[in-house]
Amino acid sequence: MKALMFGWEFPPHILGGLGTASYGLTKGMHACGDMDITFVIPKPWGDEEKGFARIIGANCTPVAWRDVSWDYVESRIGKVMDPQLYYDLRDHIYADFNYMKLNDLGCIEFSGRYPDNLIEEINNYSIVAGVIARTVECDIIHAHDWLTYPAGIHAKNVTGKPLVIHVHATDYDRSRGNVNPTVFAIEKDGMENADHIMCVSELTRRTVIEKYGINPAKVSTVHNAVIPLDKEYLDIKRRTEGEKVVTFLGRITMQKGPEYFVEAAVKVLQKDKNVRFVMAGSGDMMDAMIKLVAKRGIADRFHFTGFLRGKEVYEMLRDSDVYIMPSVSEPFGISPLEAMEMGVPSIISKQSGCAEILTNVIKTDYWDIDAMADAIHSILHYPAMYHTLRDKGIEEIHGITWEKVGKKVIGIYKDVIAARNH
C-alpha cells in the first residue's frame, strides 16, 4: 500500500511532539511490512534517517519551470533529495506560479519552522502539494495536524484518493478555549473534507466531535507510543548527587500549565529545602514564570535551562528524580513516556491524553497543586514508592510500541479505501 503523508517536522529537527510522533508512526508502519510511505515536509536538512520513508522537501519541489542542469540541481539539493525526483516533479507543474517569489530552481522557500508568516507558508505548502500529488502514486493521503490539512485537501482533489487527517492537537487545547478563528477554520475545513479522522486520545476525539461538529462515525482514537531508546541514552550517567531534582520539560506555554508547577514547587520547598526544580524548555510564558519564581522567593532552588534537544533531553531526565507534566489540556503528551523509559517516576495531569493509557504514574488535576506537591514529596521520601513507579513504569512502556500503533493505522487505511471503493 502506498501512502502520501504530509507533515511539518521530522527528527532530528523538531520543535515539539509532532515531529517525534510522525517519525515513530512512520517507522512503526514500515515495520509492519507492505508499506510504501512518501513523507513530505516543508524543509528537509539532509540528516533525516533513511530507509523507512522517502522524504520530499516542499522547498525542493519546483512550481515553475527552470532550465537547469543535473549537476546544478545535484549541487543545490542533492544532500536532501534525489535530483531525478526534482525533474519528475517538474513535469507536473499545473499552473503559472512565476508571479510568486521563487528561487533559481523554481521552488518556494520554506523556513522549516513556525514563522510569523505561518499562514502564508501553509498556503504555499498546499500549492506544492498539488505538484507532488500529480507526481507520486498513492492509495491514501495522510495529513498530520492543521498545518498540513490544506495540502491534504488539495492532494485529495487532485488524485481522487481518500484523505485521512491526524489530529495531534486542536486550537482548543493550545488556547484554553480562546481559539484563533483562522486556525479554527483551517481545522474544521480539514475535518469536514477528511474521509476519516484519527485523534491521539479520546480527549481529543471528544473535542473534535463536540467543538467542531464532526460525525462521530468518522472519528477514531489512535494513541501515541514511544520509540525504544538507544543504549547510548539508557547508559547516560547521572551528573547530580545529593539533592533531589524535579523536572518540567516542555513548551512553557499556557497549555502546559507551568504556573501550577511553580506553585507546587513552593509547597514542596516549605517541607523540604533539599530539592531543586528545573523548568526545561522555552515559550511565551517563560518571562512570566521567571518573575513568578522570584515573587514566590524560590529562585535559589529553581532553574531554567532553555530549550533542550536530542541527547540533552535524556541527560536532564537522567538527572531527575521526578518528572511532572501539569498540562491544562494535553491531547496526548509523549514526554512522560520518555521519562518513564528513562526510569523517572512521573506525575501527569488527568487532563492529558496519555492518562488514558498509562497506569504506573500518579495522576492529579492540573489545578490541584496540593495533590501535586504531596505526590512529589511522597516519591522523594518513600523509596518503595519511588522504586515501584520506576520499575513498573519501565515495564509498562516496553509494551507501548509504535508497531502496534502502525498496525492499527494500516487497518484504518484499509477500511477507508474499502469504503471508498464500494
Side-chain angles (χ1 to χ4, degrees), residues 381-412:
H381 290 87
Y382 297 105
M385 185 178 187
Y386 172 87
H387 288 111
T388 299
L389 285 170
R390 182 191 67 186
D391 298 344
K392 292 284 188 185
I394 291 170
E395 189 181 317
E396 180 176 13
I397 288 303
H398 287 165
I400 303 173
T401 69
W402 278 112
E403 197 166 334
K404 289 179 184 174
V405 180
K407 191 174 180 183
K408 185 171 184 178
V409 170
I410 291 168
I412 290 170

Side-chain angles (χ1 to χ4, degrees), residues 62-65 92-99 102 127 131 134 154:
V63 295
W65 181 276
H92 295 97
I93 295 166
Y94 58 93
D96 184 0
F97 293 108
N98 279 301
Y99 67 90
L102 307 175
I127 289 171
V131 175
R134 285 171 170 82
H154 192 178

Side-chain angles (χ1 to χ4, degrees), residues 100-397:
M100 299 182 71
K101 187 180 178 184
L102 307 175
N103 65 17
D104 54 350
L105 294 177
C107 303
I108 303 169
E109 299 283 3
F110 288 87
S111 68
R113 303 182 73 81
Y114 298 91
D116 291 339
N117 65 329
L118 183 57
I119 299 300
E120 182 186 344
E121 289 217 347
I122 290 168
N123 289 334
N124 289 345
Y125 191 62
S126 71
I127 289 171
V128 172
V131 175
I132 294 168
R134 285 171 170 82
T135 311
V136 177
E137 281 187 31
C138 67
D139 301 301
I140 195 158
I141 297 150
H142 187 153
H144 289 277
D145 231 33
W146 71 280
L147 307 136
T148 73
Y149 296 167
I153 293 168
H154 192 178
K156 175 183 177 174
N157 292 339
V158 166
T159 61
K161 302 295 182 182
L163 168 65
V164 170
I165 67 166
H166 209 131
V167 184
H168 295 266
T170 69
D171 207 45
Y172 273 90
D173 303 303
R174 290 183 291 267
S175 67
R176 288 194 192 174
N178 185 26
V179 292
N180 177 320
T182 304
V183 176
F184 178 84
I186 292 172
E187 290 176 326
K188 189 166 171 62
D189 195 38
M191 292 171 191
E192 289 175 344
N193 280 278
D195 294 85
H196 196 82
I197 300 167
M198 294 188 289
C199 300
V200 293
S201 62
E202 187 58 32
L203 185 78
T204 305
R205 182 176 181 269
R206 287 198 303 272
T207 300
V208 167
I209 293 164
E210 293 164 13
K211 302 294 187 184
Y212 294 81
I214 303 301
N215 178 359
K218 77 169 191 176
V219 192
S220 60
T221 298
V222 180
H223 290 107
N224 285 333
V226 67
I227 298 160
L229 283 175
D230 293 338
K231 195 169 183 299
E232 168 197 359
Y233 296 130
L234 294 171
D235 288 348
I236 290 170
K237 297 286 184 276
R238 183 166 181 145
R239 298 170 296 186
T240 57
E241 292 297 337
E243 290 182 306
K244 301 294 187 181
V245 177
V246 181
T247 300
F248 167 110
L249 199 154
R251 284 181 293 114
I252 306 175
T253 62
M254 186 166 58
Q255 180 192 349
K256 303 293 183 179
E259 68 270 38
Y260 301 104
F261 177 70
V262 174
E263 299 295 0
V266 173
K267 290 187 173 290
V268 171
L269 289 166
Q270 286 168 356
K271 290 183 180 178
D272 184 358
K273 288 287 184 193
N274 195 34
V275 184
R276 290 198 178 274
F277 289 83
V278 177
M279 188 169 279
S282 59
D284 57 11
M285 283 182 70
M286 188 163 178
D287 287 348
M289 291 305 99
I290 292 169
K291 287 174 184 170
L292 181 60
V293 164
K295 186 179 176 184
R296 293 286 183 264
I298 59 170
D300 60 326
R301 312 304 301 165
F302 211 101
H303 306 267
F304 292 88
T305 68
F307 184 76
L308 301 181
R309 53 172 53 84
K311 192 175 181 181
E312 294 172 332
V313 170
Y314 299 102
E315 288 172 341
M316 187 67 249
L317 290 173
R318 177 59 77 222
D319 291 340
S320 304
D321 297 280
V322 180
Y323 172 81
I324 185 158
M325 186 181 76
S327 296
V328 175
S329 178
E330 185 72 49
F332 185 78
I334 287 177
S335 54
L337 281 71
E338 295 173 328
M340 291 165 73
E341 197 175 11
M342 288 292 288
V344 187
S346 297
I347 302 166
I348 62 175
S349 75
K350 293 176 182 176
Q351 291 74 24
S352 60
C354 63
E356 298 168 14
I357 64 165
L358 294 176
T359 304
N360 294 286
V361 292
I362 294 178
K363 303 170 191 178
T364 69
D365 288 303
Y366 71 86
W367 43 263
D368 194 344
I369 55 173
D370 290 311
M372 220 178 285
D374 286 345
I376 294 168
H377 189 268
S378 298
I379 293 169
L380 294 179
H381 290 87
Y382 297 105
M385 185 178 187
Y386 172 87
H387 288 111
T388 299
L389 285 170
R390 182 191 67 186
D391 298 344
K392 292 284 188 185
I394 291 170
E395 189 181 317
E396 180 176 13
I397 288 303

